[in-house]
Amino acid sequence: MAGKGSNSVQVRHYNERVVLESIRKLKDASKADIARYANLTPAAIATIVDGLEASGFVKQIGKRFGQRGQPSIMYRLVPESAYSIGIRIGRRALDAVLLDFAGDIRAQESHEYRFPVPLDVKRFGDHAVASFKTFLGAAAQSRIVGVGIASPYFFGGWGEELGFPEALSSRWENVDLTTLFSIAAATPVYIENDGSAAGLAELVSGNGSRFDDFMHVSIDTLIGGGLVQKGQLQTGPNGNTAALGPFPVSRSELFSAKPSVSPFDILLHRASVYVLVNHLRANGIDVFRVRELDPLPVAARTPLLEWQTDCADALAQAIIGIVAVVDIDAVIIDSILPRAILHDLVAKVQQRLGEIIPVGLLAPEIIAGSLGHLGSAIGAAMLPIYALFAPDSSVLVKKDQPRKPLLIGSSQAPTSG
């Protein structure tokens, strides 16, 4: 490692991250538990845990009895040792959360809009940041370690599908997300695609925590995705890994679907919430927000079932394409949809995948996500903690490659997510 620019200090910092991640996964753990999970020696673990306790990142919570030998002292993360803010800029709403070091939500806000006008987005985000600081109080504000922002990379790319004003895309062309909100200059800002951010949240705090390799599918206004391999979020050189929207699938069977001039359609046109809303309207059911489907109006049952069947077929096709290229254990599907509708959709995807998966491929487990509409905001808030405290072999090598500002309305950004 020395030949790669590493030294003992960097190795120690890396091992500290490994220990913190172990405790985060185990929730409550003894030094012996941590040593087994982290694959480090008991002596090394003892030194690191004692140091983290002295620094205020972990604390003793009592002893565990009932096992052989002496009772074990148990440790847990100190929630108040650090905080982070996550802001998710959506096409129909802005969600913001304040997370503590243990990953629990301390405060949250949601602001809806018809269109994501930059000035409105800034106003809502600034309100959330100010509210969270007031909630923490002056003393705790200094422990905010960063702000994460999750956003689709290109608002105007699908404006025709969503009915956005023509000028909206150009209004985002020169917006730099790193400076959009009123955030202190000394506070780090981290940017990620909203689909990838939701995948990170599922990995750390959701049902994805039991898998090392999975695809996260976000059925939002527009569909997005996030890929996790070997317990790490994968974003790729352009931040566009798991760009599910343009994935080619067969044409929709819905009468409300726009005819395609291509020999195939794309997943975004079959497995996005806007498609459901349009299909309901085509059947005389005027809805704008999917929460209006809870409770489900009687008249919406048949068109909802039609969309679920069409959506599940498209998702099954996409999953076959995914597992033909990437070996994964699970596909985790989450959504802004009401939970009952989501779980019914997941069951239909399982059934359809079993019907059409070809010989030679292993069907992954298909399960529902656990975080719902807040997934991307939670993932955004995890970005600072993930960057500063999670295991990452890059901390063993000195690097200085600052990320370029992300202009989400410009041609430099990927057109998906």
Side-chain angles (χ1 to χ4, degrees):
M1 289 188 293
K4 296 182 179 180
S6 299
N7 55 41
S8 60
V9 173
Q10 288 171 295
V11 173
R12 186 191 70 203
H13 288 169
Y14 176 77
N15 287 340
E16 287 174 345
R17 288 174 175 234
V18 170
V19 169
L20 287 171
E21 183 68 7
S22 300
I23 300 174
R24 188 180 303 279
K25 292 280 189 179
L26 296 170
K27 305 300 183 184
D28 302 333
S30 67
K31 289 178 178 178
D33 296 332
I34 300 168
R36 285 190 294 270
Y37 192 90
N39 198 28
L40 293 172
T41 67
I45 291 297
T47 300
I48 294 171
V49 171
D50 290 346
L52 291 172
E53 183 181 9
S55 300
F57 288 103
V58 303
K59 62 182 179 181
Q60 297 182 22
I61 58 168
K63 294 183 178 181
R64 180 174 61 196
F65 296 88
Q67 297 184 345
R68 293 183 179 180
Q70 296 294 320
S72 300
I73 297 175
M74 304 298 290
Y75 294 87
R76 181 183 295 172
L77 297 179
V78 177
E80 300 80 14
S81 59
Y83 298 95
S84 63
I85 294 172
I87 299 173
R88 182 259 184 169
I89 306 172
R91 292 176 173 85
R92 298 300 190 195
L94 179 144
D95 297 309
V97 298
L98 173 69
L99 289 193
D100 62 28
F101 190 54
D104 294 325
I105 297 176
R106 292 299 187 93
Q108 67 183 73
E109 285 191 10
S110 292
H111 300 273
E112 295 183 347
Y113 36 73
R114 192 167 185 83
F115 307 119
V117 177
L119 286 178
D120 291 338
V121 170
K122 173 177 171 55
R123 176 164 53 88
F124 292 141
D126 286 346
H127 183 276
V129 171
S131 296
F132 295 161
K133 286 184 175 181
T134 300
F135 173 82
L136 287 175
Q141 288 180 26
S142 63
R143 296 195 291 276
I144 296 176
V145 297
V147 176
I149 301 173
S151 169
Y153 274 159
F154 191 57
F155 272 129
W158 312 108
E160 181 180 352
E161 286 84 351
L162 301 179
F164 285 176
E166 292 184 4
L168 183 61
S169 178
S170 62
R171 297 178 70 174
W172 280 100
E173 284 184 357
N174 295 312
V175 174
D176 177 6
L177 288 186
T178 61
T179 59
L180 174 61
F181 301 111
S182 300
I183 299 168
T187 302
V189 177
Y190 301 82
I191 311 294
E192 192 51 78
N193 175 276
D194 58 342
S196 293
L200 174 61
E202 198 68 52
L203 169 66
V204 178
S205 296
N207 293 336
S209 61
R210 62 188 179 95
F211 300 104
D212 287 331
D213 301 271
F214 68 89
M215 176 70 71
H216 187 271
V217 179
S218 301
I219 303 179
D220 208 316
T221 304
L222 300 183
I223 191 169
L227 175 64
V228 171
Q229 290 182 298
K230 297 182 179 179
Q232 297 290 322
L233 179 70
Q234 305 297 319
T235 56
N238 299 305
N240 209 31
T241 295
L244 297 180
F247 197 101
V249 294
S250 64
R251 295 178 181 179
S252 174
E253 296 291 331
L254 298 179
F255 80 88
S256 61
K258 183 178 179 180
S260 175
V261 298
S262 171
F264 58 85
D265 211 328
I266 60 174
L267 188 63
L268 180 142
H269 290 162
R270 294 187 58 187
S272 298
V273 166
Y274 91 90
V275 181
L276 169 61
V277 172
N278 287 348
H279 188 60
L280 290 169
R281 289 176 177 171
N283 280 273
I285 303 165
D286 189 19
V287 298
F288 185 70
R289 307 282 182 184
V290 291
R291 66 165 180 267
E292 298 170 34
L293 300 178
D294 185 18
L296 183 67
V298 173
R301 291 177 182 174
T302 297
L304 171 63
L305 177 59
E306 292 170 347
W307 174 81
Q308 286 179 317
T309 301
D310 196 71
C311 176
D313 175 64
L315 284 171
Q317 294 178 45
I319 291 169
I320 288 173
I322 291 166
V323 299
V325 177
V326 183
D327 191 12
I328 54 176
D329 296 317
V331 173
I332 301 175
I333 304 173
D334 212 342
S335 181
I336 60 175
L337 291 165
R339 304 312 287 178
I341 295 176
L342 172 64
H343 286 284
D344 194 23
L345 175 61
V346 169
K348 286 179 169 55
V349 174
Q350 289 175 325
Q351 179 181 345
R352 185 58 176 153
L353 181 63
E355 293 170 350
I356 67 174
I357 191 165
V359 175
L361 294 180
L362 298 176
E365 188 174 347
I366 311 294
I367 63 174
S370 58
L371 303 176
H373 76 280
L374 287 178
S376 292
I378 294 170
M382 289 176 176
L383 292 172
I385 293 176
Y386 194 78
L388 296 171
F389 298 103
D392 183 348
S393 59
S394 65
V395 303
L396 298 174
V397 182
K398 295 178 180 178
K399 293 182 179 180
D400 186 14
Q401 298 176 339
R403 190 167 187 170
K404 295 180 181 179
L406 178 61
L407 308 179
I408 63 174
S410 73
S411 59
Q412 68 167 297
T415 57
S416 63

